[in-house]
Amino acid sequence: MRRYRQRVRHSPLRSVRAAVAFAVCAAGVLLPALAAPSTAHAEVTVSETYPRPADGVFKLEGHGWGHGRGLNQWGAHGAARSGVTYDRILGTYYPGTAMATLPDAPIRALLEYDDEVDVAVRNAAGLSAGDLATGARYPLPGAPARWRITVDAAGLHLEHFTDSTWQRWTAPDGKSVWSGPLQFDGLSPLRVLFADGTARDYRGTVRGVRTSSTALQTVNVLGLEDYLRGVVPRESPAFFHAEALKAQSVAARSYSANKRERAPASAQADICSTTQCQVYGGMRLVSASGTTTELENPATSAAIDATAGQVRTHNGSVIFAEFSASNGGFSTAHAVFPYLAAKADPWDALESPHHYWTAQVTAAEIEAKYPSVGRLARVRVLSRDGNGEWGGRVKRVVLEGTTASGTATSVEATGGGIYAANPWAGGSDTGVRGSWWRVRSTSYDAGIISSDAAPRLVRPPGAATAALSVVVENRGGLDWPAQDLHLALALPPGGADELSKGSTRPGTFVRNVTEPGAAVVRPGQRAELRLAFDATSVPAGTYSTAYRLRIGNGQLFGPNVALTVSVVEPTLTASRVSVGGAPASGDAPAPVSPDGTVIVPRAGRTAVTVRIRNTGNVAWPVGGAVKLGAAGPRGRTSASAGPTWPHPTRAALLSGADGIANASRVEPGQVGVFSFHLSGNNAAVGSTTEVFEPIWEGFRWVTGAPVTLQVLRYDDAVSRLAQLTQAVPAALTTTNHPGSVTTLVVRARNLGRDAWPVGGDALVTAPAGRASPMRAPSWPAPDRVTTLRANLSRPGVAAVHPGEVGEWQLPLSAARLRAGDYTESFSLAAGSARYGPTVTVKVTVREAQLAAVVAKVVSSALVVPRAGTATAYVELRNTGTVVWPVGGSVRLGVPSGRTSPSRHASWLAAARPTAVTSNVTRPGATEVRPGETARLVFRLAGNNRAPGAYSETFGALWEGWRWMAAAPVIRYSVR
């Protein structure tokens, strides 16, 4: 593919190494689509005159490398690295085309780098020669090391190298001359030997084609897919993104298929092997010294395989898929093919080292290219193609000069002609890379490549200082001395910058990006500068400012770096995240609970970790000014301070950022960690409330994150020690009926060393061994009331550990007591050892009054079948002081214990028809209080008695205690 570099054998890898300093990296950029195509071969008239420089050297700058039509190889790489797929890349660079698939078929590649004297190959077993004119095939003897095809006036000959000389070979059929073409085959690969001592291996077959009596061409015939394996790595470096290599594979396949289709019937080759077509290197290269270089690459072969057979088509035909290394940001149009259009290409600047370049061409080189100009006086550019910066690629040029005799000359030239006067060859060459160029100015000029976002500064103690990077490009004609290059205020020019502590050089030179370590920044190179800001003494507000480049104290130049810098007041706020400490051991509780309970031994200490989120706008320094201070009130001296505290009013320094190793700061939004100990200091056992808050020492308290801790001190030198957690009533009143049991709840905190087993430690009478007259039926013994019922701090745990609360339930019964006042005392005990406070309660026992009146009896029309039953009921109003249980001890009875003639099998006993069935006053209640009415329902049986009228008197009683005065009479008839 012709790219205005006929004299240079292009190696993309070489060109990358030569110009990688110009690369622009823009990974992650959101890529726009290419602009709509412009009119093909548009030409814009310009008037640019460049006199011959005093030193005779024209200094140029330019864009792109190659003709710029079709696929942009570096642009494809940049697009692919930004997430664009190969089919979109192809559709963009070849608009209006579609994807199709071709079967693999042979292609004939002319090996132009052979010398046209002979076609020589290395011999090996299986090598054959074939006459394509007759179809005859000749297996060649294996002894000679080399064979070749030669040409003379008679035709083609086969020769072998024997005894240090080439000897002509006569075939078994007697032939020694052929019209050809002759072809070597039978080996894979075939090694072709060249006159300079190098060799190359090729897939397929190799032909010698006679072009005259003294010259012949070397043609490699192989499958198109195999041919591409030797093309794609020569055209696109294997380190390119896989999607870019796929795009290159489809483009090269399309270009090859198009050339093959358009080859004349008389042609002996379809395509050439240099940049006149597309570069084809074969399978491997062997140097004259024997060093082997693989020319196929796994990455490019994978891209070929992934797109096997794929081509781009237009109106059903495979396209002429031209491509070039870099279009400089704007493609060029083809005169015939509409899919090779001119349009802006934003992808080129992403990665291409050829997007912008500088070069030089001497007047002597131009004079040698155009000798009729004589002595060159000036270069005049008359037209450009109108596409891109400076008006695009140069079209028409006039060279003006004088002859030796002084006669004025004027010679027509082109932009490509100036390129041809000194073409770029890679390496350190400063040659021209194409026709998109202009002569550089002789003044300072710059372009802004990138600039960090403007900072948001926080006044002390916040981040009052910041620096941002600015990358600029030298777009003038003069070198920038690095030591004098800086950024200065644009208005007033070079003035003192209040955001940089009054500096007149707020932006300092950092490095030459293109040539690290260089003392100057040459035209086309890039430099990084750093703007330093300091808002320590600047009031809060918004500052709009701009900076420009300056050399020493000279004039400002280049575009503005415009910034809006915000300076804000510091905000110190926080929120509590968590409280923690060492993990629990066994079934003991963790010494620090998430709710802020901390268990501390009187003679020891407990480690605590507090996590607090920074919700302000100032980063907290680790190990510095930010501390956890005692609060409630702020600045108090803490009763739990210990030797590890920085001060009795300061528990800890900020020790780190949660989840971030070796952090030096806790940034806004991150969580800070404070680690410290709470000490018992041999203070009395019990509970102390401790409050802590962060403070920036010497500045202010951090608001919004008070941490309240409940410190529970226990005595680790005493095995058992208890403290009541709620007061037991000093007095209570009960009655002396059998169902009157009053339960007292005793709750105590374990402040000793040992755990209390649930069901073990007991509540016993005091003094020791005394039998209490208020013993309830559930007591295990007359002096032993109850055992530890539960751990209230952690329900379900089988022991109450230090710091936790246990519960005992104390049932008291006055059923055996006369009315009066009684004092009862109890204490905690483990076996025979008693501990903790004594619980004393005064109990007033009142005489129970069991009384009722008949409120209602079943109707006198009640009929009881002789052989059946009928339902009866009695309603009694509770007129005493005792609560009746529904379904319990209050029952209807037959006086004197006689047997009722109406007894039914459902009765509770022969003389007890029923218990209280329900509460009439409060349906559903489980008891009948004084003043309420109870219903007692039961069955009457006929028991086959004689028909007649009957009546029965019943009584009401508390079973096992006493009768009530009520005597309901039930009248009924038996039929």
Side-chain angles (χ1 to χ4, degrees):
M1 184 174 294
R2 185 177 178 87
R3 302 182 202 175
Y4 306 127
R5 45 192 166 98
Q6 296 91 330
R7 291 162 44 188
V8 183
R9 290 182 180 176
H10 166 47
S11 167
L13 291 175
R14 179 180 62 187
S15 69
V16 171
R17 287 194 294 269
V20 72
F22 292 97
V24 179
C25 182
V29 174
L30 180 62
L31 298 178
L34 272 63
S38 63
T39 304
H41 295 285
E43 190 166 333
V44 178
T45 299
V46 297
S47 179
E48 303 170 26
T49 301
Y50 303 110
R52 179 187 184 117
D55 61 358
V57 179
F58 291 93
K59 296 179 175 60
L60 308 184
E61 60 183 340
H63 291 295
W65 183 28
H67 54 60
R69 292 191 294 274
L71 176 73
N72 175 357
Q73 293 163 322
W74 277 100
H77 177 54
R81 280 176 54 85
S82 300
V84 183
T85 58
Y86 79 98
D87 52 342
R88 181 184 164 196
I89 292 172
L90 291 166
T92 301
Y93 284 119
Y94 303 112
T97 65
M99 196 77 82
T101 303
L102 296 180
D104 194 13
I107 190 167
R108 301 170 296 176
L110 174 63
L111 305 184
E112 294 172 285
Y113 30 76
D114 206 353
D115 59 6
E116 298 191 355
V117 173
D118 61 12
V119 179
V121 298
R122 183 182 63 176
N123 193 16
L127 181 65
S128 297
D131 179 8
L132 299 184
T134 64
R137 287 182 53 76
Y138 307 101
L140 300 177
R146 287 174 281 174
W147 286 85
R148 71 178 182 178
I149 303 169
T150 61
V151 64
D152 59 20
L156 299 177
H157 305 278
L158 286 169
E159 296 182 353
H160 54 82
F161 194 73
T162 304
D163 297 329
S164 301
T165 61
W166 286 102
Q167 299 180 19
R168 190 161 294 178
W169 182 72
T170 301
D173 60 4
K175 295 189 69 171
S176 60
V177 60
W178 291 268
S179 61
L182 285 178
Q183 173 174 290
F184 288 120
D185 56 30
L187 296 180
S188 183
L190 278 166
R191 178 161 294 178
V192 178
L193 310 173
F194 300 106
D196 61 0
T198 64
R200 289 179 186 250
D201 289 347
Y202 295 95
R203 300 173 184 271
T205 65
V206 176
R207 297 175 181 176
V209 179
R210 180 181 180 184
T211 57
S212 72
S213 61
T214 59
L216 78 168
Q217 293 179 330
T218 305
V219 178
N220 180 201
V221 183
L222 71 168
L224 177 56
E225 299 299 312
D226 283 342
Y227 162 74
L228 293 175
R229 298 179 191 278
V231 170
V232 177
R234 306 277 69 73
E235 291 292 352
S236 289
F239 69 75
F240 269 16
H241 192 282
E243 294 298 301
L245 294 179
K246 291 178 187 177
Q248 178 66 69
S249 299
V250 176
R253 186 182 291 111
S254 303
Y255 181 86
S256 304
N258 179 279
K259 294 281 284 186
R260 183 176 59 189
E261 290 176 4
R262 294 191 292 117
S266 60
Q268 293 293 335
D270 302 311
I271 197 166
C272 61
S273 58
T274 66
T275 56
Q276 296 289 338
C277 300
Q278 57 188 9
V279 179
Y280 170 58
M283 189 175 179
R284 68 178 56 88
L285 171 66
V286 182
S287 70
S289 63
T291 302
T292 299
T293 301
E294 296 296 328
L295 299 180
E296 296 179 359
N297 187 280
T300 53
S301 293
I304 295 164
D305 292 339
T307 62
Q310 292 182 9
V311 293
R312 301 296 293 192
T313 63
H314 182 261
N315 293 335
S317 297
V318 181
I319 68 171
F320 183 56
E322 287 188 295
F323 47 85
S324 62
S326 170
N327 62 25
F330 215 110
S331 61
T332 55
H334 193 280
V336 176
F337 304 116
Y339 47 80
L340 297 176
K343 54 186 175 179
D345 183 357
W347 294 342
D348 185 80
L350 299 181
E351 296 286 343
S352 174
H354 313 291
H355 179 70
Y356 175 83
W357 47 261
T358 59
Q360 63 184 36
V361 59
T362 66
E365 288 171 328
I366 297 175
E367 291 164 353
K369 175 70 176 175
Y370 299 96
S372 58
V373 76
R375 186 180 188 279
L376 180 67
R378 67 191 60 83
V379 175
R380 293 177 55 215
V381 177
L382 301 183
S383 68
R384 295 177 177 270
D385 68 4
N387 297 323
E389 192 174 22
W390 319 316
R393 291 167 172 82
V394 174
K395 304 288 284 186
R396 294 174 56 233
V397 175
V398 169
L399 307 175
E400 296 179 348
T402 57
T403 65
S405 62
T407 302
T409 61
S410 178
V411 177
E412 289 279 344
T414 64
I418 301 300
Y419 156 72
N422 182 25
W424 186 75
S428 59
D429 193 347
T430 58
V432 187
R433 305 190 194 189
S435 62
W436 191 351
W437 53 262
R438 72 170 179 176
V439 177
R440 285 184 283 158
S441 67
T442 56
S443 61
Y444 290 123
D445 195 7
I448 306 299
I449 301 303
S450 65
S451 174
D452 291 344
R456 183 174 183 268
L457 304 176
V458 182
R459 286 175 45 76
T465 62
L468 63 83
S469 171
V470 179
V471 177
V472 296
E473 187 173 70
N474 186 344
R475 294 183 178 173
L478 301 177
D479 292 344
W480 297 342
Q483 64 180 2
D484 291 329
L485 180 66
H486 63 276
L487 285 165
L489 270 182
L491 286 174
D497 185 11
E498 65 177 325
L499 290 177
S500 297
K501 303 184 75 171
S503 173
T504 58
R505 294 190 175 191
T508 57
F509 174 83
V510 176
R511 64 190 177 110
N512 184 321
V513 177
T514 307
E515 188 181 350
V520 297
V521 181
R522 296 183 176 85
Q525 293 186 334
R526 294 177 178 179
E528 180 185 4
L529 295 97
R530 180 168 291 121
L531 274 167
F533 298 100
D534 189 333
T536 302
S537 303
V538 177
T542 300
Y543 297 82
S544 295
T545 185
Y547 302 88
R548 296 181 70 194
L549 287 168
R550 192 180 195 189
I551 303 293
N553 294 321
Q555 295 293 317
L556 305 183
F557 64 93
N560 283 345
V561 179
L563 300 170
T564 299
V565 179
S566 296
V567 179
V568 299
E569 294 292 346
T571 301
L572 292 180
T573 58
S575 63
R576 168 177 165 167
V577 174
S578 66
V579 175
S585 176
D587 66 348
V592 182
S593 300
D595 65 358
T597 301
V598 184
I599 302 171
V600 180
R602 285 185 64 238
R605 63 185 186 179
T606 298
V608 180
T609 299
V610 172
R611 290 176 171 81
I612 296 176
R613 187 178 306 280
N614 181 353
T615 61
N617 63 1
V618 179
W620 301 342
V622 171
V626 176
K627 302 173 184 177
L628 193 66
R634 291 169 172 169
R636 67 176 174 83
T637 297
S638 171
S640 302
T644 61
W645 286 32
H647 187 269
T649 64
R650 302 290 186 264
L653 301 177
L654 177 65
S655 59
D658 192 34
I660 304 174
N662 303 317
S664 61
R665 302 161 69 86
V666 177
E667 301 292 342
Q670 294 179 347
V671 175
V673 178
F674 298 88
S675 297
F676 58 102
H677 289 88
L678 292 178
S679 297
N681 295 324
N682 288 311
V685 295
S687 175
T688 300
T689 299
E690 293 276 3
V691 181
F692 298 95
E693 287 185 87
I695 181 174
W696 190 299
E697 201 69 75
F699 185 58
R700 69 173 69 147
W701 288 83
V702 181
T703 61
V707 177
T708 301
L709 304 179
Q710 198 69 27
V711 181
L712 300 177
R713 287 182 300 278
Y714 71 96
D715 197 331
D716 53 341
V718 177
S719 62
R720 272 178 166 75
L721 187 61
Q723 184 181 70
L724 294 179
T725 60
Q726 67 178 33
V728 175
L732 58 86
T733 300
T734 186
T735 56
N736 58 2
H737 70 88
S740 178
V741 175
T742 300
T743 300
L744 294 182
V745 175
V746 177
R747 291 174 178 170
R749 189 180 304 280
N750 184 351
L751 295 177
R753 180 184 64 238
D754 298 339
W756 304 337
V758 172
D761 283 34
L763 195 64
V764 297
T765 58
R770 180 180 66 86
S772 173
M774 301 197 75
R775 174 186 178 187
S778 64
W779 287 26
D783 64 343
R784 189 177 180 85
V785 182
T786 184
T787 58
L788 178 62
R789 188 187 70 85
N791 181 331
L792 292 187
S793 299
R794 292 184 297 145
V797 177
V800 176
H801 292 267
E804 296 186 314
V805 176
E807 180 182 277
W808 290 261
Q809 292 188 353
L810 168 58
L812 298 176
S813 173
R816 293 177 294 277
L817 299 179
R818 295 177 180 274
D821 293 333
Y822 299 83
T823 299
E824 291 294 315
S825 297
F826 306 91
S827 60
L828 300 177
S832 60
R834 295 174 177 248
Y835 62 92
T838 297
V839 177
T840 300
V841 60
K842 178 181 178 182
V843 182
T844 298
V845 180
R846 293 178 178 174
E847 191 70 35
Q849 297 178 8
L850 186 64
V853 297
V854 177
K856 188 176 182 180
V857 179
V858 66
S859 170
S860 60
L862 178 64
V863 176
V864 179
R866 289 184 65 235
T869 64
T871 299
Y873 65 87
V874 172
E875 293 182 357
L876 302 176
R877 181 175 297 111
N878 183 348
T879 58
T881 61
V882 178
V883 176
W884 302 346
V886 172
S889 298
V890 176
R891 299 170 182 174
L892 200 63
V894 179
S896 302
R898 63 180 175 80
T899 299
S900 169
S902 302
R903 179 185 178 187
H904 183 259
S906 63
W907 287 22
L908 300 176
R912 301 291 186 264
T914 185
V916 173
T917 305
S918 62
N919 186 324
V920 176
T921 306
R922 290 186 298 124
T926 60
E927 61 184 11
V928 180
R929 298 170 185 167
E932 295 180 340
T933 300
R935 174 174 288 180
L936 298 89
V937 180
F938 59 101
R939 305 288 290 175
L940 294 177
N943 293 327
N944 291 313
R945 282 178 287 166
Y950 295 86
S951 67
E952 290 195 51
T953 301
F954 293 89
L957 78 160
W958 187 294
E959 192 72 61
W961 182 30
R962 66 177 65 160
W963 289 82
M964 290 176 268
V969 177
I970 297 179
R971 293 177 173 82
Y972 60 95
S973 60
V974 176
R975 295 181 183 175

